[in-house]
Amino acid sequence: MAPRHLLVTGGAGFIGSNFVHHALARTEDTVTVLDKLTYAGSAASLAGLPEERMSLVRGDIADVEVVDELVGSLTGEDDAIVHFAAESHNDNSLSDPAPFVRTNLVGTFTLLEAARRHGARLHHVSTDEVYGDLALEDPARFTEATAYNPSSPYSSTKAGSDLLVRAWVRSFGVRATISNCSNNFGPRQHVEKFIPRQITNLIDGIRPRLYGAGANVRDWIHVEDHSSAVLRILEAGRIGETYLIGADGEASNREVVELILQLMGRAPDDYDLVADRPGHDLRYAIDATKLREELSWQPVFADFASGLAQTIDWYRDNEDWWRGQKAAT
Ligand code: NAD
Ligand code: TDX
């Protein structure tokens, strides 16, 4: 495939920055990152990338003028918007939903309108949380046919953004694809999220805190595997289609925290149970058969424990990256 120009929204955040590193290492593409640099974004996450292939524009995806100019510059047939920007943390959406509505809904709408005006290709990055939750003992998993049933202000605004994309494909012929991925872990994840919060607490000698009984199940995928799946969908995904991304990584929060404690040389019961998150989704689980079979994708990080050990090492080696956000969180 000839080199493309990618407009990566939210490219200074956790998954977006990992995607930019991943794509620049594996393709000859050039990248413009459009990121508002909210509390969750960090220019430092893009450090060390070749300047001639990557530039960062600080701006808001809900700003019509900024978005129009950047989308208008995507003139190659395979150029694309890769849309990661979002307010992403469930706990924040419970205390103040307003930025979630603005960024996740109005921001996605603004990008879609620009894509429509300029005929640009768009890949929309979304979450498995749009499907609501599954019972703990139920063997069922989410598929592309599962009905939408979001629980939180975060997941409902992501669900709304997915539906906008689907409508713009059908009504206006926008060339878009959607992916819904399970819980990511890996380097450069904000310390508000479960795994980095526990790792950085333990580095600081603070006991991990599990919401409720710690029985809730998440389906973990290494962020590198999410990046490779998005790249594959950009290359070969069918327009108008949704692909679920997951790596068969189901684990309860208690199992995850016990593994982190063990990997960091602490007793496995050295944690506290605290008040549950309101409306806390019980379990997520992804069936990624469509992505695996249609696009021949497979994850590389098959072993959760070794991916977690590498992630712990990254937080130990990169205190400069997270100290400021830890103090502010
Ligand atoms: P993040 O919070 O780490 O990063 C979000 C980025 O978007 C930040 O750099 C932030 O500055 C930027 N941003 C926020 N509002 C913006 C705006 N109005 N304009 C421009 N930039 C803005 O989030 P993340 O965990 O990297 O998630 C990225 C995407 O992946 C989101 O769309 C999220 O819904 C989706 N997703 C995340 C997970 C996960 O486990 N973290 C799983 C599945 C899907
Ligand atoms: O301190 C904590 N203690 C705890 O028990 C935190 C921060 C979380 N939890 C629990 C809540 C969840 O069951 O851990 C699990 C994971 O929590 P988060 O990291 O907040 O993730 P989650 O709510 O599952 O959502 C994440 O995955 C899907 C991302 O934040 C979303 O952006 C993504 O769409």
Side-chain angles (χ1 to χ4, degrees):
M1 178 173 266
R4 298 163 294 202
H5 188 65
L6 302 178
L7 174 61
V8 180
T9 74
F14 164 47
I15 305 173
S17 68
N18 277 284
F19 174 79
V20 172
H21 284 269
H22 184 94
L24 290 181
R26 282 161 187 80
T27 69
E28 292 178 13
D29 297 347
T30 52
V31 168
T32 298
V33 167
L34 171 60
D35 198 295
K36 192 176 173 181
L37 298 180
T38 68
Y39 80 95
S42 165
S45 294
L46 298 166
L49 292 168
E51 276 175 30
E52 65 284 5
R53 293 181 60 204
M54 199 286 302
S55 58
L56 169 63
V57 174
R58 184 172 193 176
D60 190 329
I61 57 164
D63 181 330
V64 177
E65 276 176 36
V66 171
V67 166
D68 191 70
E69 188 181 331
L70 291 172
V71 173
S73 70
L74 300 174
T75 50
E77 177 65 18
D78 296 319
D79 291 356
I81 306 161
V82 194
H83 176 30
F84 292 94
E87 285 292 337
S88 69
H89 192 40
N90 275 301
D91 291 334
N92 293 345
S93 83
L94 296 166
S95 51
D96 182 11
F100 288 75
V101 171
R102 182 176 154 75
T103 290
N104 301 356
L105 288 170
V106 180
T108 302
F109 162 74
T110 307
L111 285 165
L112 283 166
E113 283 291 83
R116 173 155 86 107
R117 277 192 297 277
H118 297 286
R121 161 96 164 86
L122 178 140
H123 179 70
H124 176 64
V125 176
S126 191
T127 169
D128 58 0
E129 297 191 19
V130 300
Y131 300 115
D133 61 353
L134 299 160
L136 289 180
E137 306 307 331
D138 182 354
R141 298 192 292 171
F142 300 134
T143 73
E144 288 79 4
T146 304
Y148 274 41
N149 187 27
S151 316
S152 73
Y154 163 67
S155 55
S156 62
T157 55
K158 289 298 293 187
S161 69
D162 293 10
L163 298 182
L164 291 175
V165 175
R166 290 183 182 195
W168 263 242
V169 170
R170 178 152 173 177
S171 304
F172 304 123
V174 167
R175 292 181 296 138
T177 42
I178 300 175
S179 55
N180 297 84
C181 187
S182 61
N183 282 60
N184 285 222
F185 73 102
R188 294 189 284 271
Q189 184 168 29
H190 194 281
V191 299
E192 69 191 355
K193 303 293 189 334
F194 180 54
I195 287 179
R197 177 183 273 186
Q198 311 314 345
I199 294 171
T200 55
N201 276 354
L202 283 165
I203 290 173
D204 283 349
I206 300 167
R207 279 161 74 93
R209 289 181 199 133
L210 284 181
Y211 296 162
N216 303 57
V217 170
R218 296 294 182 264
D219 188 354
W220 294 98
I221 182 173
H222 194 280
V223 65
E224 278 294 304
D225 287 327
H226 188 180
S227 293
S228 72
V230 169
L231 209 48
R232 186 75 195 120
I233 295 166
L234 273 176
E235 283 162 5
R238 284 180 294 136
I239 296 302
E241 292 291 318
T242 291
Y243 297 89
L244 263 55
I245 306 173
D248 301 329
E250 277 188 72
S252 72
N253 295 335
R254 204 166 40 224
E255 288 169 328
V256 173
V257 104
E258 285 171 1
L259 188 52
I260 294 173
L261 283 162
Q262 183 199 321
L263 291 167
M264 296 183 75
R266 303 278 287 265
D269 59 353
D270 199 4
Y271 60 84
D272 295 316
L273 299 177
V274 298
D276 208 355
R277 172 186 281 173
H280 196 174
D281 280 344
L282 287 174
R283 171 176 161 255
Y284 308 135
I286 289 269
D287 177 350
T289 304
K290 178 176 173 181
L291 178 69
R292 286 174 183 265
E293 292 189 352
E294 190 180 306
L295 301 185
S296 305
W297 171 86
Q298 46 184 17
V300 170
F301 282 80
D303 180 33
F304 182 57
S306 63
L308 202 51
Q310 283 178 32
T311 304
I312 292 168
D313 287 344
W314 189 88
Y315 281 91
R316 281 188 172 131
D317 294 344
N318 290 278
E319 278 202 36
D320 285 354
W321 183 90
W322 57 264
R323 270 290 158 211
Q325 52 176 251
K326 186 86 179 165
T329 299

